[in-house]
Amino acid sequence: NDPNRLEIKENFDKKLRSHRPPGPAVQHLHYDTQTAEADAVADIISKRVEAGAYRYRDFAILVRGNRDADAYLTSLRMRDIPYQFSGSRGLYRRQEVRLLISLLQVLFDVDSSEHLYNLLSSEVYNFPMADLNRLLARAYRLNVSLYEVLSDPEVFAEEGETRPLSPEAQATREKVLEDLRYLVEFSRQRPAGMVLYEFLERTGYLARLARGEASEAETKIQNLARFFDIVRAFSNTAPDDQVPHLVRYLDLLIEAGDDPPTAPLEPGLDAVNVLTVHKAKGLEFPVVFMVGLVKDKFPSRRRSDPLELPDALVREEVPSGDIHLQEERRLFYVGMTRAQQELYLTSADDYGGKRTRKVSPFVLEALDRREADITPRKSDPIEVIRRHRTGRGVATPALEKIPESQPLQLSHMQVDDYLTCPLKYKYIHILRVPLRPHHTIIYGKAIHEAIQEYNRRRQAGLPVSYEDLLARFEGAWRNEGFLSREHEEQRLQTGRESLRRFYEREQASDAVPAFVEQEFAFWQGKNKITGRWDRVDERDGQVVIIDYKSSEVRDQKKADDRARNSRQLAIYAIAYERLYGRWPDLLELHFVDTGIVDRTEPRPRKIEKTLEEIEQAARGIREREFSPTPSEWDCRYCPYNRICPATETQV
């Protein structure tokens, strides 16, 4: 279709040749309505899985845009088919993210009835809908906000009303008002991210998601984590990161058209994959449904650029013809070639609106058919009614095991987390459950960045002053997670003093780093172990690996024990030997606050044990074995001890 293609100009043969035997022909299914189309796709998937031909994860539904996915997600839910949706946009429209945005809006302006309604009707509060609608109707009649009606203890006791709120609604009403009063006061001197986390924890919503008690729990957690990343980015740059300022920031982002992508697909999840064609690039699935294939959807309507670039300013030769149509055709080709075994092209006459939609010209081109040859499949009236039945609820799909043939990448932190508690590993590295900011993390990160600045300059032979370290330390500082303003000032002062002592010690030394923040990777079987050394020195022919710690250790014996038993240092030693063919001579832990330094040598028994532990963690992760292993000590210091069911009797 395009004479400017390289294979035409240079006579290249780009014909695709499959290594698999021939499969079934491409099928085009055309229906009278989009609902019928979506239901048919769900039915095909359900029957193929029930017959044992495929698993849910083998299917992909490709949509042209994020908003096009709604009908197909609804049909999957109605049939209790597990799915995961990943769009190139749409994070702010996700139910769990809208919940947090509504909370922020209500804390900023309690008279925002729309957002309060969203909050009350959410799965967090589940306010009885009959009572909620009565409250909203009363607010409309009185021309007041929903909050004003909700906070009136005598609601429905006037104007001849004989039906009070139900007991469930009264109890929920009191809970909501109590939570809002508490959170408004809680937000007085705290960052917005901390307020959001307090809400998730106080209401038990995060715990329910972590236990998988809500529909699409794992996907919701990942989308919440993405939203918290946005909040954290705001906190890192805004001079004031309290609730009112975050609300204004989000309003401006949304007004400007910002709409971040939802959580990416989890490859090991046994669920139908629903994603946009753009997000499908580079992926393959045994069975692919390309849906909504009608004119003006795919190809989409051409939108003219706000600022057209004159042809004279374009360095490359502009292809002749309709460039937009050519791009859409290439995208259609991308979608078709995602299928490994079976490909379905689906369309419908009615997607809402008055006019009947025409089948995409790309479908006609691909199948060499005419529009007149296509007749829609009519919906049975009984089936139309049954489409509105309620599903039992989509269960959280199980993670598929990772085969031994597939490489698995692990860091020392992942190995540590898994061996400490497999469920902790799942919360951190698979579900990515958001964490409340903790002052030890803020402090440690700021100290580490200051030391990194010193070591990099020392390695490059550049001058470095204590003021340089202090500027980097204070620039990396975040006022999150501290117990009070006084506590924060105390930790700031401790950091300044610790860095001064560090600077004086290092300036008195002749040692120059050979490596600073050097990344490494080595293979242990099919497991790729990755990490980075804080610092590596070469002193008089000896190799010394240094790791800095910001935790307070004042006892030399305790420091000695930590170094000798450190799995992290053992992994660092193994990495050096694998990469450079020799063992490091010394492994050192430098405790920055106290100045204590502990030195140990790579010991064969510790190295052997560490390799066994890597294999043990890798086996469990591959088997998707995430049962908790609670202990009083580990649970006490676990960041998830307030949401993990296994710690309820341990902490």
Side-chain angles (χ1 to χ4, degrees):
N1 297 315
D2 180 5
N4 295 310
R5 289 177 299 165
L6 193 61
E7 60 266 36
I8 299 298
K9 288 189 170 184
E10 302 294 336
N11 197 28
F12 285 166
D13 181 8
K14 292 178 64 177
K15 183 177 180 180
L16 296 178
R17 293 174 176 83
S18 175
H19 293 287
R20 294 186 173 87
V26 177
Q27 295 191 54
H28 175 225
L29 307 176
H30 186 67
Y31 299 88
D32 52 352
T33 66
Q34 183 186 28
T35 305
E37 176 194 359
D39 283 346
V41 170
D43 283 338
I44 293 172
I45 293 172
S46 179
K47 290 174 181 176
R48 301 300 293 277
V49 172
E50 288 175 4
Y54 294 103
R55 295 169 296 177
Y56 287 122
R57 62 177 293 185
D58 295 329
F59 294 90
I61 300 175
L62 306 187
V63 295
R64 180 62 183 84
N66 293 281
R67 295 181 183 274
D68 299 326
D70 292 343
Y72 308 95
L73 299 181
T74 299
S75 292
L76 294 174
R77 279 196 298 268
M78 299 287 271
R79 285 156 183 77
D80 302 321
I81 296 175
Y83 66 85
Q84 52 176 340
F85 173 61
S86 179
S88 53
R89 299 168 66 84
L91 182 67
Y92 296 142
R93 294 195 299 274
R94 288 286 305 187
Q95 179 190 69
E96 59 277 12
V97 175
R98 289 206 320 267
L99 166 69
L100 295 190
I101 292 175
S102 290
L103 172 69
L104 291 169
Q105 292 282 358
V106 170
L107 294 179
F108 175 59
D109 178 11
V110 293
D111 291 326
S112 177
S113 296
E114 174 190 351
H115 291 289
L116 181 57
Y117 183 90
N118 290 341
L119 199 61
L120 293 171
S121 61
S122 70
E123 61 182 340
V124 171
Y125 291 112
N126 283 313
F127 202 99
M129 288 306 298
D131 293 293
L132 180 54
N133 288 336
R134 289 177 66 205
L135 289 172
L136 188 62
R138 182 173 178 82
Y140 285 154
R141 285 199 306 271
L142 299 179
N143 197 27
V144 296
S145 70
L146 178 59
Y147 179 81
E148 190 172 337
V149 174
L150 184 72
S151 57
D152 181 3
E154 302 299 325
V155 66
F156 298 130
E158 304 171 357
E159 300 181 6
E161 288 278 4
T162 58
R163 289 186 300 121
L165 290 176
S166 66
E168 181 185 355
Q170 285 285 12
T172 308
R173 167 186 168 276
E174 292 172 7
K175 169 64 175 170
V176 171
L177 292 174
E178 178 188 352
D179 285 349
L180 290 179
R181 284 192 291 267
Y182 170 81
L183 291 169
V184 167
E185 186 59 32
F186 184 84
S187 68
R188 183 182 296 275
Q189 296 293 335
R190 292 180 174 88
M194 190 179 294
V195 176
L196 291 174
Y197 194 89
E198 181 70 15
F199 165 76
L200 293 177
E201 200 170 69
R202 177 183 174 87
T203 59
Y205 185 53
L206 188 59
R208 296 209 308 275
L209 291 179
R211 292 194 293 264
E213 295 175 1
S215 174
E216 303 177 69
E218 296 189 0
T219 300
K220 288 178 179 178
I221 287 176
Q222 292 175 12
N223 284 322
L224 288 175
R226 283 191 163 239
F227 184 69
F228 269 90
D229 287 341
I230 294 171
V231 175
R232 188 173 296 110
F234 169 76
S235 294
N236 290 343
T237 56
D240 193 330
D241 58 354
Q242 291 178 278
V243 168
H245 306 287
L246 177 60
V247 168
R248 179 59 179 154
Y249 174 74
L250 290 173
D251 285 344
L252 290 173
L253 285 181
I254 294 171
E255 287 173 14
D258 179 68
D259 194 5
T262 54
L265 299 179
E266 173 60 52
L269 211 59
D270 188 24
V272 175
N273 303 285
V274 185
L275 63 165
T276 62
V277 182
H278 280 102
K279 293 278 279 190
K281 290 181 178 180
L283 303 176
E284 288 185 324
F285 306 92
V287 184
V288 168
F289 291 86
M290 291 186 67
V291 298
L293 300 181
V294 293
K295 189 178 179 181
D296 293 337
K297 271 185 175 289
F298 209 157
S300 63
R301 290 184 180 180
R302 185 180 187 276
R303 298 178 181 176
S304 59
D305 294 328
L307 293 174
E308 292 281 357
L309 192 63
D311 291 345
L313 297 180
V314 179
R315 294 184 179 181
E316 299 177 355
E317 182 180 349
V318 179
S320 58
D322 189 330
I323 299 175
H324 173 72
L325 190 63
Q326 293 170 14
E327 282 294 328
E328 289 288 292
R329 183 179 284 109
R330 282 190 281 270
L331 188 61
F332 190 86
Y333 176 79
V334 167
M336 293 179 67
T337 53
R338 299 311 91 197
Q340 295 174 312
Q341 298 172 22
E342 297 184 42
L343 174 63
Y344 291 85
L345 309 177
T346 70
S347 55
D349 283 344
D350 182 8
Y351 288 86
K354 296 181 180 180
R355 62 189 180 89
T356 300
R357 308 298 286 269
K358 293 184 177 181
V359 175
S360 168
F362 297 157
V363 174
L364 305 179
E365 291 174 11
L367 302 181
D368 194 21
R369 299 181 66 181
R370 297 181 306 163
E371 178 86 26
D373 297 334
I374 298 173
T375 56
R377 303 182 181 206
K378 297 292 184 181
S379 300
D380 177 59
I382 296 296
E383 184 57 33
V384 171
I385 297 172
R386 286 176 178 166
R387 285 174 190 154
H388 297 277
R389 66 187 182 274
T390 302
R392 295 184 300 275
V394 179
T396 300
L399 286 167
E400 292 287 318
K401 295 180 180 180
I402 302 174
E404 288 293 334
S405 59
Q406 180 178 328
L408 175 65
Q409 182 169 312
L410 294 172
S411 67
H412 81 85
M413 285 296 297
Q414 289 173 302
V415 174
D416 281 347
D417 289 337
Y418 187 85
L419 295 178
T420 300
C421 176
L423 186 57
K424 177 184 178 182
Y425 173 92
K426 182 179 182 181
Y427 283 165
I428 295 175
H429 303 288
I430 295 180
L431 299 182
R432 295 181 283 277
V433 178
L435 279 171
R436 181 195 297 272
H438 198 274
H439 58 84
T440 57
I441 304 299
I442 304 298
Y443 178 81
K445 184 175 184 295
I447 287 285
H448 191 89
E449 289 201 15
I451 291 176
Q452 177 184 329
E453 177 75 9
Y454 178 89
N455 286 334
R456 287 196 186 282
R457 292 199 183 193
R458 188 74 179 262
Q459 181 187 30
L462 299 174
V464 55
S465 66
Y466 168 67
E467 287 70 25
D468 294 328
L469 267 69
L470 201 58
R472 185 63 181 268
F473 172 70
E474 294 177 350
W477 191 265
R478 298 289 176 263
N479 61 335
E480 295 181 284
F482 293 93
L483 306 180
S484 64
R485 182 61 186 169
E486 291 74 18
H487 178 233
E488 182 183 356
E489 285 296 334
Q490 181 185 24
R491 296 305 289 157
L492 266 170
Q493 187 58 33
T494 299
R496 295 183 184 113
E497 293 170 359
S498 297
L499 287 175
R500 179 178 291 281
R501 291 192 294 269
F502 166 83
Y503 179 78
E504 292 170 352
R505 287 194 302 270
E506 291 298 322
Q507 288 295 102
S509 169
D510 295 330
V512 176
F515 299 125
V516 176
E517 295 295 322
Q518 178 68 40
E519 295 183 351
F520 63 77
F522 66 90
W523 289 91
Q524 180 64 23
K526 282 289 185 178
N527 307 311
K528 185 179 183 181
I529 313 304
T530 62
R532 67 175 63 192
W533 300 299
D534 282 356
R535 172 171 166 168
V536 179
D537 284 2
E538 295 176 358
R539 308 173 191 164
D540 301 324
Q542 286 193 324
V543 173
V544 182
I545 295 178
I546 299 172
D547 193 66
Y548 296 99
K549 299 295 182 186
S550 59
S551 53
E552 285 194 21
V553 174
R554 301 188 178 279
D555 179 46
Q556 184 67 51
K557 184 178 183 304
K558 184 177 179 181
D560 293 344
D561 290 341
R562 283 191 60 174
R564 281 195 301 270
N565 297 319
S566 172
R567 185 183 297 117
Q568 179 183 3
L569 287 182
I571 289 176
Y572 286 0
I574 295 168
Y576 195 89
E577 191 277 333
R578 296 286 178 88
L579 292 176
Y580 298 103
R582 59 159 293 183
W583 292 98
D585 298 281
L586 289 174
L587 307 169
E588 295 184 352
L589 285 182
H590 289 216
F591 295 92
V592 181
D593 281 2
T594 58
I596 291 178
V597 176
D598 182 72
R599 298 175 177 87
T600 187
E601 298 176 355
R603 294 176 293 127
R605 289 183 61 184
K606 179 61 180 176
I607 297 298
E608 182 180 351
K609 181 181 179 182
T610 299
L611 291 174
E612 291 173 356
E613 289 173 333
I614 290 173
E615 294 288 353
Q616 177 187 345
R619 280 195 303 272
I621 294 168
R622 288 182 182 277
E623 289 293 319
R624 302 299 197 179
E625 174 50 57
F626 299 122
S627 299
T629 55
S631 70
E632 183 176 355
W633 177 264
D634 290 333
C635 290
R636 179 178 299 172
Y637 295 101
C638 177
Y640 298 107
N641 58 19
R642 296 179 67 177
I643 67 171
C644 175
T647 63
E648 290 177 352
T649 58
Q650 298 287 333
V651 179

